Amino acid sequence: MKKIFISVISLAVLLGGCKKDSETEPTPLTPNSFTITISHSVDAQSLYFDSLMYTNEAGYNYSVSRVWYYLSNLKLIKSDSSEIKISDYLFVDAAQSSTCKMNLSSVPEGSYIGIAYSIGLDSSTNQTGALPATVENLQMEWPVPMGGGYHFLKFEGSFIDSSLSYGFTMHIGTNTYLVNGKAWRNFSIGSGNNQINLAMNLNEWFRNPMVYDFDMDGNYSMGNMMAMDKLMKNGADVFNIVP
Amino acid sequence: MLFLVSVTGILSISSCKKDTEETPVPESSYTPTPYELRVPTGWSVPVIPDFNPTTVEGVRLGRMLFYDNILSMNGRSCSSCHHPDKSYSTPVFVSNSGESISVPPLINLAWNPDFEWYGQVPKLDHVPLGDFTPEFFDPNMDTIVARIKAHPLYPRYYYEAFGIKDVGAISSDELKLKSSYAIIQFVRTLISDNSKFDKVMRHETAFTPEEMDGSVTFYTEKGDCFHCHGTPLLTNNVITNNGLDTVFSGENQGYYNVTGRPTDMGKFSAPTLRNIELTAPYMHDGRFQTLEEVIEFYNSGVHWSSPNIDPIMTKPFKEYGLMLSDQDKSNLIAFLKTFTDTSVINNPEYTNPF
């Protein structure tokens, strides 16, 4: 009985597809499962928290104590540069693997050349209380006296400067500093299970197009528009696609 | 002491009387009624484990046990150290090893992910198990079982909450566990959401100009309290080092005592600021007697060189502290006092049932 039901649905989908084909542009939309896993590294090194083992572009040794962010507006990029939106938002805590995975069920089959993403939330969502009151969303709130909404990114740790240890807190928020980026790689989505890995290289926050220097640019981005602007621009290539 | 003896005497007499009037454990089936925990608007879903669902009967039993000294040999009950008028806390507990420990308040714990000052108890339901020790209840389980069995109400209450027909027929560990579960079911109902702060959030009233100014200090980089004490719970539940010390030993080692990781040295759970006016002294060891002292610590006393200090605490241009004026400080304290919620203290559903 279940099989018959599925067949009927499939037939309806196919018929619907045929009808649309003749009327508008081709849209061969066959739902396929697509799992995106998210990993974090610092150049070639794996991410270990609270360990002063990394070096950024400006030459500071640093450790990482927290990486929290919203990954949103994921879009598949086709070879003709058109984009298909496949997700709204995901809260990611790099220390919690359960948050580093997105399971999508209705992703159109086809060949793609990359994925576009935002780190943060678009303006319609970036309003205090717009997201469900989950523990993580409440923890990401951007206080109302400073404009409301949510933190887009909390990237924190410590670094060494002239033999002394200092903290750094790279926080981004407010609509102006929504990070929009793209990651490039040819991949295809077919029937069955599909999976890719989005790999964030934390060092990319500190370089390309601009070197971020804790001493010169500030080790505390909150309330520092120049710092948040730099981080936003550097964030455009923090992800790579790993098949 | 005399008073306690007298009370016990009265209870004994009344228990004898009641024993003859009612059957301790009825033959009715064990069907506890689910207790719907109230979730204030804008709060997240509370954390209730499947192994200890909240029930009307469990909360009733837990409330009695919370205020009763029946589980101890030394006259203590939970309420001996968790006074309702102090937001279910007590000023300071001195451990057997002589260290002072500030007793955390028992409010809104259904929303907490970890417990005690350095997160050493991962499940709230197991926290009361730590009281069945010589240091706290000094229990003799044979005596406790006999007391419960002889009580006019407890046998029926244990049955209706957990299906236990005879507390003497289960192991003492099981009895401790189920007693803990009941106490925590009651504790989960202690919800504080009716302070002036809450009423302002609900647009039922307004802050004074001083409180409003204090809230701006709290919620902006000026005072930067919100990174650790945000959300409606007024804690982000972070376990972190706020720069109190540079050298650590004993309890002061904090989360390190749980994980053994050097990077967790000196880290403690950021507590809720709800009812902070009622829970002096402050910090995990109660080192600060007043809110003024606490504010002055954050204003000028943070030890920047403390290992593993939270990055939030080491802002550039703040080397000399937050540079708050006397007016800023008093306004901030005025704001902190808007977190005081007397309704959670006086709620008749929470008070001593005896």
Side-chain angles (χ1 to χ4, degrees):
Chain A
M1 184 61 194
K2 195 176 178 185
K3 274 187 179 172
I4 294 170
F5 179 67
I6 291 168
S7 303
V8 170
I9 297 273
S10 307
L11 190 61
V13 169
L14 286 172
L15 287 174
C18 290
K19 193 177 173 190
K20 274 191 178 173
D21 277 353
S22 59
E23 288 173 2
T24 58
E25 59 180 337
T27 50
L29 299 179
T30 307
N32 296 293
S33 75
F34 186 38
T35 301
I36 299 173
T37 56
I38 298 153
S39 62
H40 304 83
S41 65
V42 185
D43 291 337
Q45 295 171 282
S46 299
L47 176 58
Y48 296 101
F49 286 90
D50 298 313
S51 181
L52 267 170
M53 58 186 288
Y54 308 114
T55 306
N56 68 12
E57 193 75 8
Y60 296 99
N61 287 338
Y62 74 98
S63 66
V64 178
S65 59
R66 184 196 308 272
V67 182
W68 290 3
Y69 58 94
Y70 288 108
L71 180 62
S72 65
N73 290 323
L74 286 182
K75 295 170 186 165
L76 302 174
I77 308 171
K78 293 167 48 171
S79 56
D80 63 359
S81 299
S82 62
E83 296 177 345
I84 302 170
K85 185 173 174 179
I86 54 171
S87 79
D88 288 328
Y89 73 92
L90 176 73
F91 169 78
V92 179
D93 172 356
Q96 302 288 335
S97 59
S98 60
T99 68
C100 299
K101 193 172 185 180
M102 188 184 283
N103 293 312
L104 302 164
S105 58
S106 298
V107 178
E109 196 171 308
S111 296
Y112 301 97
I113 61 170
I115 290 180
Y117 60 86
S118 298
I119 293 173
L121 300 163
D122 58 29
S123 57
S124 63
T125 316
N126 187 34
Q127 298 171 22
T128 300
L131 296 183
T134 61
V135 172
E136 54 270 24
N137 289 338
L138 293 172
Q139 289 178 333
M140 290 291 271
E141 279 187 352
W142 192 270
V144 171
M146 295 200 295
Y150 299 87
H151 285 76
F152 297 166
L153 169 76
K154 289 185 180 180
F155 173 21
E156 301 171 5
S158 300
F159 68 102
I160 302 293
D161 188 8
S162 305
S163 303
L164 292 173
S165 176
Y166 298 90
F168 71 84
T169 54
M170 302 290 105
H171 288 197
I172 308 178
T174 71
N175 296 334
T176 309
Y177 303 106
L178 179 65
V179 178
N180 290 306
K182 286 173 180 170
W184 303 105
R185 177 182 283 271
N186 291 334
F187 64 96
S188 59
I189 293 175
S191 58
N193 301 321
N194 301 274
Q195 180 167 340
I196 61 162
N197 177 246
L198 274 177
M200 177 186 279
N201 181 350
L202 293 172
N203 257 352
E204 293 297 340
W205 289 107
F206 300 128
R207 68 181 175 218
N208 192 23
M210 290 173 285
V211 174
Y212 192 101
D213 184 313
F214 290 136
D215 200 28
M216 305 283 287
D217 297 304
N219 50 338
Y220 195 77
S221 68
M222 297 86 104
N224 183 340
M225 289 184 285
M226 299 283 282
M228 284 202 281
D229 186 67
K230 222 172 196 183
L231 292 168
M232 174 190 71
K233 288 169 177 161
N234 287 349
D237 66 346
V238 291
F239 277 114
N240 283 310
I241 298 173
V242 181
Chain B
M1 191 61 186
L2 199 61
F3 176 68
L4 278 178
V5 171
S6 305
V7 169
T8 311
I10 293 165
L11 280 178
S12 303
I13 292 164
S14 69
S15 74
C16 290
K17 192 177 172 191
K18 282 196 175 173
D19 272 351
T20 59
E21 290 174 0
E22 54 185 290
T23 312
V25 179
E27 290 304 310
S28 60
S29 61
Y30 156 62
T31 50
T33 314
Y35 181 107
E36 283 297 322
L37 213 58
R38 187 169 57 83
V39 181
T41 304
W43 292 29
S44 57
V45 176
V47 183
I48 314 281
D50 292 340
F51 62 78
N52 188 23
T54 318
T55 66
V56 172
E57 293 79 3
V59 171
R60 180 182 60 186
L61 172 61
R63 182 183 175 191
M64 293 225 346
L65 292 174
F66 185 88
Y67 287 101
D68 199 346
N69 59 14
I70 195 167
L71 297 178
S72 78
M73 295 297 112
N74 52 18
R76 279 187 184 149
S77 66
C78 304
S79 59
S80 301
C81 289
H82 295 280
H83 305 294
D85 62 344
K86 296 193 183 316
S87 199
Y88 303 87
S89 78
T90 206
V92 166
F93 180 84
V94 179
S95 71
N96 278 349
S97 59
E99 293 186 86
S100 295
I101 300 166
S102 184
V103 177
L106 303 181
I107 51 168
N108 302 335
L109 290 188
W111 285 265
N112 254 43
D114 48 59
F115 304 95
E116 306 290 16
W117 277 106
Y118 38 92
Q120 65 266 47
V121 187
K123 297 272 185 237
L124 178 61
D125 312 78
H126 296 162
V127 170
L129 289 176
D131 293 321
F132 290 96
T133 56
E135 189 167 14
F136 293 96
F137 284 173
D138 190 19
N140 177 312
M141 292 311 290
D142 289 341
T143 307
I144 290 170
V145 167
R147 283 181 185 168
I148 293 173
K149 284 176 71 106
H151 195 276
L153 297 172
Y154 279 123
R156 181 162 65 87
Y157 283 9
Y158 272 94
Y159 175 73
E160 291 178 355
F162 298 112
I164 298 168
K165 288 189 171 174
D166 179 2
V167 293
I170 60 173
S171 69
S172 59
D173 281 349
E174 184 68 7
L175 180 59
K176 291 177 196 171
L177 190 66
K178 288 300 181 349
S179 302
S180 295
Y181 283 5
I183 290 165
I184 291 309
Q185 287 188 40
F186 167 64
V187 166
R188 285 201 170 98
T189 69
L190 301 175
I191 297 169
S192 170
D193 72 328
N194 207 26
S195 63
K196 180 171 185 180
F197 168 77
D198 296 296
K199 290 172 183 168
V200 173
M201 293 301 119
R202 296 195 294 257
H203 306 289
E204 294 168 10
T205 186
F207 288 133
T208 65
E210 291 78 17
E211 291 162 355
M212 178 60 89
D213 183 69
S215 82
V216 172
T217 300
F218 188 94
Y219 282 113
T220 63
E221 307 304 336
K222 184 176 179 180
D224 198 9
C225 312
F226 72 94
H227 275 114
C228 295
H229 298 288
T231 85
L233 299 170
L234 299 169
T235 171
N236 280 24
N237 294 314
V238 289
I239 293 179
T240 195
N241 175 1
N242 63 349
L244 280 172
D245 294 303
T246 53
V247 180
F248 307 95
S249 65
E251 297 284 347
N252 254 9
Q253 296 177 116
Y255 198 35
Y256 170 82
N257 288 335
V258 179
T259 68
R261 286 193 299 255
T263 51
D264 288 327
M265 188 68 79
K267 290 184 179 176
F268 292 89
S269 182
T272 179
L273 299 188
R274 285 183 170 274
N275 278 338
I276 194 71
E277 182 183 8
L278 308 177
T279 59
Y282 304 104
M283 304 298 164
H284 60 275
D285 51 6
R287 68 179 65 186
F288 299 132
Q289 301 305 309
T290 63
L291 287 173
E292 284 77 5
E293 288 179 41
V294 174
I295 300 302
E296 198 50 54
F297 160 71
Y298 286 113
N299 188 52
S300 62
V302 174
H303 291 99
W304 268 40
S305 59
S306 182
N308 318 306
I309 188 169
D310 193 305
I312 294 286
M313 302 300 299
T314 62
K315 297 179 194 174
F317 314 116
K318 304 282 188 188
E319 293 92 333
Y320 304 106
L322 298 174
M323 310 294 279
L324 299 179
S325 69
D326 288 346
Q327 189 68 60
D328 292 333
K329 292 178 211 169
S330 68
N331 289 353
L332 181 53
I333 288 171
F335 176 62
L336 296 180
K337 289 182 177 176
T338 71
F339 302 155
T340 302
D341 178 7
T342 51
S343 66
V344 74
I345 293 166
N346 302 321
N347 187 331
E349 291 181 20
Y350 302 157
T351 50
N352 190 335
F354 295 104

